[in-house]
Amino acid sequence: MKILALESSARAASCAVLSDGVPLASAWQATGLTHSRTLLPMVEDMLQNSDLSLAHIDAIAVAAGPGSFTGLRIGIAAVKGLAWAAEKPCLPVSTLESMAWPLCHLDGVIVCAMDARRQQIYNAAFRAGGGTLIRLREDRAISLSDAAADLAGLDGPVTIVGDGAALCFDALTGAGIPCRLAPVHLRLQSAMGVAMAAQRLWPDGAVSAHALAPVYLRLSQAERERLARSQRI
């Protein structure tokens, strides 16, 4: 089975193809260019250079959230367009879970952290070992102090991944929790991690292009401001 995966939830953008669990191709960049400009050209170039087309793909996976509101919308829209045109099923993957999969060979706890601003992180935790993951904490938006308090009781070496890893590392070490940062080349979100996570969703977790939707975990700034205005009124 071949899975095409896209990741655009944060600053980095990437795409990858996984075939029966084996990486076939990938492209990744974190240059600061907008994902609306880079993502689909990356997909097109990767497939063309790998002598692949959408006809060879069985399902299209995407990091559905949490993450940047704009980044998630771009990734979801791109996958909807590709899947609709090619009549392919979609696999919406937790961004946080996908970040842990490239480290599933480790023995210990993988703490996933994305910078959610306002002294918060998007966070989940998994126990890694034997090439698989067991979820310990559900995806959530949580303050750094609450995350440190909640994660204090986890047993085993703790490795932190994600674009919020440095923030989380400071919070955990400040609370006396031993931990380490994942190596730089495995720290940020990647489409290969999305593809690895998507394997476990097939086929029961597949959805149509029409049903594919982002998972934000919290209200956008515009929605928060609108809610605050309505409460004042």
Side-chain angles (χ1 to χ4, degrees), residues 141-229:
I142 189 171
S143 70
L144 288 164
S145 58
D146 286 347
D150 178 65
L151 297 171
L154 297 179
D155 295 327
V158 175
T159 304
I160 310 175
V161 298
D163 65 293
L167 290 172
C168 190
F169 177 82
D170 290 343
L172 266 59
T173 55
I177 302 171
C179 57
R180 62 187 177 184
L181 291 170
V184 175
H185 66 286
L186 294 177
R187 192 176 304 167
L188 297 183
Q189 296 86 325
S190 75
M192 192 58 73
V194 173
M196 294 171 71
Q199 292 181 112
R200 296 211 298 189
L201 294 176
W202 180 260
D204 295 338
V207 301
S208 67
H210 176 76
L212 184 64
V215 177
Y216 294 128
L217 288 190
R218 72 181 191 188
L219 297 176
S220 68
Q221 181 177 350
E223 291 170 317
R224 293 196 303 271
E225 292 174 351
R226 184 170 63 247
L227 180 61
R229 285 196 299 270

Side-chain angles (χ1 to χ4, degrees), residues 34-199:
T34 59
H35 298 335
S36 58
R37 172 181 169 184
T38 60
L39 189 59
L40 283 176
M42 287 172 64
V43 173
E44 182 179 7
D45 289 345
M46 178 191 68
L47 292 176
Q48 184 177 27
N49 291 336
S50 305
D51 201 20
L52 295 170
S53 71
L54 286 177
H56 298 105
I57 301 300
D58 296 294
I60 306 177
V62 64
S68 155
F69 288 81
T70 300
L72 292 177
R73 285 194 290 267
I74 290 171
I76 293 290
V79 170
K80 277 180 174 286
L82 293 170
W84 220 315
E87 298 183 337
K88 301 294 182 180
C90 302
L91 295 168
V93 170
S94 159
T95 307
L96 294 165
E97 181 180 346
S98 73
M99 290 155 50
W101 273 102
L103 295 164
C104 67
H105 60 288
L106 298 178
D107 289 322
V109 175
I110 309 299
V111 171
C112 307
M114 297 181 68
D115 186 0
R117 310 292 176 86
R118 300 162 58 219
Q119 290 300 301
Q120 284 191 327
I121 54 173
Y122 296 123
N123 168 249
F126 302 84
R127 185 165 300 282
T132 191
L133 297 175
I134 298 172
R135 183 179 282 274
L136 301 177
R137 297 291 186 273
E138 295 299 319
D139 293 2
R140 57 195 178 173
I142 189 171
S143 70
L144 288 164
S145 58
D146 286 347
D150 178 65
L151 297 171
L154 297 179
D155 295 327
V158 175
T159 304
I160 310 175
V161 298
D163 65 293
L167 290 172
C168 190
F169 177 82
D170 290 343
L172 266 59
T173 55
I177 302 171
C179 57
R180 62 187 177 184
L181 291 170
V184 175
H185 66 286
L186 294 177
R187 192 176 304 167
L188 297 183
Q189 296 86 325
S190 75
M192 192 58 73
V194 173
M196 294 171 71
Q199 292 181 112

